[in-house]
Amino acid sequence: MLACSEPTPPSRAGTYGFEAGGDVFHWPAERLPVRFYAQPTGNLRFLVQHAVDSWAGVFLYGEFRGTLVADSTGADVIVQADSVPDVPPDPGAPVYACNEVTAVPPIDTNNRFTEPFHIRVAVLPGFTPAQVAACLRRTTIHEAGHALGLFQHSPDPVDIMWGPSGAAPITADGPSDQDRRTVELLYHTPPTVLPPP
Amino acid sequence: MVVGYWRLAGITSGLACAAGALQAQLLVRAALGARHTSTLVHDSIITPFVLRPALAPALAVTAATPLDERWTAQVTLDFSTSTLERHDADGTTTGLGRVSTLAFTVGLRRPLGAGFAAGAGVGGLKYLPAGETGIFRSGAGGVLGLAGAVVSYAPPRVGGRWQLGIEARYDVHRFITPALRSEGFTSARTVHRIALALRAGRGGAAGAAGAAGAAP
């Protein structure tokens, strides 16, 4: 029943970069849960909740938790969109039917972000609502990853944090093993930037 | 008809006598105390850290019946609950939610004299996390094998019919969860638990108490 030796911690080799210009950021334990506000447009709240759950679910040791708040005042991450179709996502091959961008806030002289992160969602024309929904589902997880502190893109297309160039869609449905290892490493790395007040 | 009636009456009275004898032999004890659990997970990401439950209230209920003048057979149901905590190298402690355990053991006990007794048993233990998150995100991993021992002391003539005493319980099991396996842990970790408790018991009758050495 008893072994002679205890298990050794697993190797976590295989990560991609997460810092931006030498700056490392992650939400500190005392700021959890991170407060996400989703503009009440279509099913944007569901997409953001899904993204938060996707990231929280990869952590083993409670390093990150997020919650949706009803008021943008005091939110840590604000997600906005002009329109979001409230339909089931298309199960077919991913297409580049949406575009999102995360605005990382400025840093003050105390190495502290001055305002919340802003994520902007845009729907591209010429696609079915289901194709747009599928694109938004993946891309919202990707952008939430930036708001968690993953400031770089992965070079591997199987990762949710893959950074496609041009009009190529993200193809991963959620964080991969390499995404998980990278975000774990990030959340155990001492940050150089403080969260917004 | 009359013969049938007397036969039925005889069977009924015989069953009643057997039940009375069993009741007289059965001793039920409850023990309430505190439990310390050793490290469940030791990991290192940049710096080392460990996970273990906080000091937990523990309740054990034991049913025992004497086998002969020295040995008593017993079954024990043991429950404890506390917060799972992460202890980092810098001294910070982070709560990760409630986790409870339920253990079932069968074993033997015998008196050692002077009010002391010792026992040992084997059984199973199930972790009951409050939510499927973190190391329990893919479940708790089923029932884990458990082996344990107990040492008790019951001062004579204290507590009257309630047979008051104290006991120390120790058990050991191997811990791993499906999420830890997915993370890359290839083997389970040996987990030790020790509980100190006050206990009270009823039943066993005077004869049974004598057979079990005052039922310590």
Side-chain angles (χ1 to χ4, degrees):
Chain A
M1 180 178 176
L2 303 180
C4 295
S5 62
E6 292 299 346
T8 54
S11 165
R12 290 183 170 83
T15 59
Y16 49 83
F18 47 73
E19 60 188 45
D23 285 331
V24 174
F25 170 76
H26 62 75
W27 295 97
E30 62 269 19
R31 282 295 295 268
L32 302 183
V34 177
R35 296 158 296 183
F36 286 77
Y37 169 79
Q39 185 182 358
T41 303
N43 70 343
L44 185 61
R45 282 184 63 85
F46 170 81
L47 292 176
V48 174
Q49 183 69 65
H50 177 67
V52 169
D53 292 343
S54 296
W55 284 111
V58 305
F59 289 95
L60 275 183
Y61 306 119
E63 295 92 334
F64 170 79
R65 287 178 291 121
T67 187
L68 258 66
V69 294
D71 188 349
S72 63
T73 308
D76 300 310
V77 181
I78 296 173
V79 187
Q80 295 172 288
D82 292 331
S83 67
V84 176
D86 191 359
V87 298
D90 182 76
V95 292
Y96 186 64
C98 67
N99 195 356
E100 297 188 24
V101 63
T102 299
V104 177
I107 300 172
D108 66 16
T109 54
N110 296 318
N111 267 4
R112 179 181 291 277
F113 286 128
T114 57
E115 59 185 61
F117 287 74
H118 284 267
I119 297 174
R120 186 78 193 175
V121 175
V123 174
L124 301 180
F127 299 95
T128 68
Q131 288 174 319
V132 171
C135 178
L136 288 175
R137 193 179 173 95
R138 297 183 180 98
T139 310
T140 304
I141 300 173
H142 175 101
E143 299 304 325
H146 288 317
L148 261 68
L150 294 171
F151 291 155
Q152 292 187 34
H153 284 147
S154 162
D156 192 335
V158 303
D159 296 337
I160 196 71
M161 294 308 293
W162 178 52
S165 58
I170 293 168
T171 55
D173 289 326
S176 65
D177 283 345
Q178 183 165 236
D179 289 313
R180 172 179 54 77
R181 288 191 298 267
T182 304
V183 79
E184 279 180 338
L185 186 63
L186 166 61
Y187 272 72
H188 287 263
T189 301
T192 61
V193 184
L194 299 169
Chain B
M1 179 73 179
V2 173
V3 173
Y5 169 77
W6 283 109
R7 183 175 294 165
L8 179 62
I11 293 171
T12 305
S13 63
L15 287 175
C17 289
L22 281 176
Q23 194 172 18
Q25 297 289 309
L26 188 66
L27 172 66
V28 178
R29 302 187 201 96
L32 182 63
R35 164 168 287 133
H36 169 76
T37 303
S38 69
T39 295
L40 298 184
V41 180
H42 175 229
D43 202 347
S44 182
I45 308 174
I46 307 291
T47 56
F49 57 92
V50 299
L51 262 61
R52 65 171 174 265
L55 193 68
L59 174 66
V61 177
T62 298
T65 188
L67 298 175
D68 57 28
E69 291 187 353
R70 303 295 293 173
W71 293 99
T72 300
Q74 62 182 24
V75 296
T76 300
L77 200 59
D78 182 301
F79 177 81
S80 60
T81 182
S82 68
T83 302
L84 182 63
E85 294 178 334
R86 188 182 84 219
H87 297 269
D88 289 283
D90 63 2
T92 59
T93 298
T94 306
L96 302 178
R98 181 157 295 277
V99 64
S100 305
T101 59
L102 186 64
F104 175 81
T105 55
V106 295
L108 295 171
R109 173 188 289 244
R110 62 164 293 173
L112 300 175
F116 286 91
V122 294
L125 178 145
K126 174 73 175 172
Y127 278 84
L128 305 168
E132 292 201 341
T133 58
I135 63 170
F136 296 111
R137 70 185 177 212
S138 303
V143 177
L144 308 171
L146 177 83
V150 58
V151 175
S152 62
Y153 173 69
R157 294 182 293 281
V158 171
R161 295 174 61 191
W162 285 98
Q163 301 169 28
L164 300 179
I166 57 173
E167 67 180 28
R169 310 183 71 84
Y170 165 82
D171 60 51
V172 61
H173 64 277
R174 300 275 290 167
F175 178 82
I176 194 167
T177 66
L180 289 169
R181 289 190 189 280
S182 297
E183 185 77 5
F185 287 91
T186 55
S187 61
R189 182 176 188 84
T190 304
V191 176
H192 308 273
R193 308 191 309 164
I194 187 163
L196 297 173
L198 296 173
R199 72 148 214 246
R202 283 295 297 270

